């Protein structure tokens, strides 16, 4: 599809920041800097909102395998060895197996997607991801007709993920999607951000991104993908089903039992910026509302 490459993060990053970054990261000279592309309109999959900085995106994280504080993942995730990396594919699929990551995604198109990201805790960011559409991988793997859901699991390796030595969560971290959600073109398996491999704290080497759902759905460091006809067990739902549903669609009209979901705090916006309104399906309503036609979203939260 032609529009996939219409917009890159450099087009929507404030120009001064973009030039800085290019200077820093690529050491380009003045002539190359003058040739920086002009701003363009966003394609249908990417927002034209300004992305957060790499420092914000990789410095303020949730990743309980490395601690419960927002700075803990950045401090501790360096321990994790992400190469070699094997992903087990099993269940109702034509080509199950233990795939080396490179083999799993070899030949699939890596796309840039600038997505809003909304955590259930009511903070948000804008992230320039690189990744493959999950649908392209599932098509290649061959989903059997009886499959209705996709389940994902994070690596278990307590030597490198220190909190796994505790009972903080029922490890591994696990998540799942309905098959039609998994096949939606917005659903991404991210391999990078800002044009670099994913930082470990953001879920290297492979993490899910489902931009219309709360961030806890976007499971990090994926080592298992299972096609199933049963709704999968999911980590936060197992801990507190009344607070965290399976669907977890961003919805300003359905509050968390302990706080409002009507507004959010954009990370990096500054002390005086104030909160901004949370958008239905995190702003992806036009693309995804039809997936939930006829469902009561207050019941299926
Ligand atoms: N995946 C694993 N394996 N462990 C986690 O603790 N936290 C989730 C999700 N994926 C989590 C995880 C939550 S609560 C959020 S909000 C996002 O990751 C945070 O992603 P980010 O740190 O890249 O912003």
């Amino acid at each position: 599809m032609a529009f996939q490459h219409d917009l890159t993060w450099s087009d929507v990053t404030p120009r001064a920041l973009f030039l800085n970054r290019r200077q820093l990261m690529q050491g380009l000279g003045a002539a190359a800097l003058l040739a920086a592309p002009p701003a363009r309109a966003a394609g249908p999959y990417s927002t034209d909102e300004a992305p957060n900085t790499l420092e914000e995106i990789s410095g303020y994280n949730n990743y309980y395998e490395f601690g419960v504080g927002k700075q803990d993942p950045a401090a501790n995730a360096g321990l994790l060895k992400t190469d070699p990396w094997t992903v087990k594919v099993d269940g109702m699929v034509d080509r199950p197996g233990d795939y080396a990551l490179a083999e799993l995604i070899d030949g699939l198109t890596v796309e840039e997607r600038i997505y809003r990201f909304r955590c259930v805790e009511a903070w948000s960011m804008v992230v320039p991801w690189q990744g493959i559409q999950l649908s392209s991988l599932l098509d290649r793997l061959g989903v059997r007709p009886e499959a209705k859901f996709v389940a994902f699991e994070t690596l278990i390796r307590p030597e490198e993920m220190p909190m796994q030595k505790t009972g903080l969560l029922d490890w591994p971290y696990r998540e799942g999607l309905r098959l039609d959600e998994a096949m939606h073109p917005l659903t991404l398996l991210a391999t990078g951000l800002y044009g670099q491999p994913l930082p470990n704290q953001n879920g290297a080497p492979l993490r899910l991104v489902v931009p219309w759902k709360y961030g806890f759905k976007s499971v990090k460091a994926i080592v298992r993908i299972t096609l199933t006809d049963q709704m999968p067990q999911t980590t936060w739902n197992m801990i507190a089903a009344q607070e965290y549903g399976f669907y977890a669609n961003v919805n300003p009209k359905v509050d968390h039992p302990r706080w409002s979901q009507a507004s959010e705090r954009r990370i990096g916006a500054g002390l005086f910026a104030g909160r901004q309104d949370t958008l239905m399906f995190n702003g992806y309503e036009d693309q995804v509302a039809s997936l939930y036609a006829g469902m009561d979203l207050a019941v299926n939260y």
Side-chain angles (χ1 to χ4, degrees):
M1 285 173 277
F3 50 74
Q4 278 163 7
H5 302 288
D6 282 354
L7 186 83
T8 72
W9 64 267
S10 55
D11 297 328
V12 297
T13 303
R15 186 176 166 82
L17 179 63
F18 171 50
L19 296 182
N20 265 332
R21 235 177 243 299
R22 294 230 319 198
Q23 253 162 341
L24 273 170
M25 300 195 316
Q26 299 174 2
L28 293 181
L33 293 178
L34 288 173
R40 271 178 271 159
Y45 292 142
S46 285
T47 174
D48 56 6
E49 287 180 56
N52 281 85
T53 65
L54 181 59
E55 291 70 24
E56 288 160 353
I57 296 166
S58 61
Y60 186 95
N61 299 96
N62 278 336
Y63 202 166
Y64 285 80
E65 285 84 342
F66 295 104
V68 296
K70 300 293 185 232
Q71 277 81 42
D72 290 345
N76 302 327
L79 283 170
L80 180 64
K81 199 163 162 256
T82 59
D83 185 21
W85 193 267
T86 305
V87 179
K88 176 183 283 298
V89 176
D90 60 359
M92 296 164 171
V93 64
D94 292 334
R95 282 173 283 285
D98 293 316
Y99 293 89
L101 178 58
E103 179 194 4
L104 185 74
I105 64 172
D106 181 50
L108 300 177
T109 307
V110 176
E111 299 178 25
E112 177 140 78
R113 299 285 180 87
I114 304 166
Y115 283 161
R116 282 181 291 275
F117 183 89
R118 169 63 157 79
C119 178
V120 74
E121 298 163 338
W123 54 266
S124 65
M125 296 202 199
V126 175
V127 184
W129 304 104
Q130 288 81 47
I132 57 164
Q133 269 187 212
L134 178 58
S135 67
S136 68
L137 175 63
L138 294 177
D139 283 342
R140 167 192 279 185
L141 293 169
V143 177
R144 296 244 177 101
E146 61 271 28
K148 295 190 177 70
F149 297 91
V150 190
F152 303 87
E153 286 181 12
T154 294
L155 176 74
I156 297 189
R157 196 182 285 162
E159 295 68 37
E160 297 172 20
M161 297 175 131
M163 292 306 279
Q164 288 182 341
K165 293 181 178 155
T166 76
L168 178 68
L169 300 183
D170 182 3
W171 315 107
Y173 193 98
R174 61 201 102 182
E175 260 306 335
L177 296 171
R178 228 169 49 186
L179 188 60
D180 58 344
E181 299 174 324
M183 294 300 287
H184 193 282
L186 284 170
T187 304
L188 206 66
L189 277 177
T191 55
L193 62 85
Y194 265 118
Q196 306 172 0
L198 275 182
N200 279 4
Q201 57 267 39
N202 293 94
L206 191 69
R207 67 90 61 86
L208 188 65
V209 179
V210 194
W212 71 93
K213 292 178 179 285
Y214 291 121
F216 68 82
K217 296 297 287 183
S218 63
V219 47
K220 298 177 172 182
I222 295 168
V223 292
R224 186 173 179 193
I225 300 175
T226 306
L227 279 295
T228 168
D229 58 1
Q230 305 293 315
M231 184 181 274
Q233 293 230 294
T234 58
T235 290
W236 290 102
N237 186 252
M238 289 160 69
I239 292 171
Q242 68 288 358
E243 299 191 9
Y244 307 104
F246 175 81
Y247 285 96
N249 292 316
V250 175
N251 189 338
K253 296 185 291 255
V254 176
D255 287 335
H256 186 278
R258 290 183 282 129
W259 59 85
S260 165
Q261 294 292 23
S263 69
E264 64 200 51
R265 176 174 63 94
R266 176 62 56 82
I267 300 300
L271 268 181
F272 305 106
R275 300 176 70 85
Q276 61 186 63
D277 289 346
T278 290
L279 302 174
M280 188 64 204
F281 295 113
N282 201 25
Y284 300 95
E285 184 170 15
D286 289 351
Q287 292 100 314
V288 304
S290 63
L291 295 175
Y292 309 102
M295 278 177 63
D296 183 340
L297 297 178
V299 175
N300 299 286
Y301 53 91

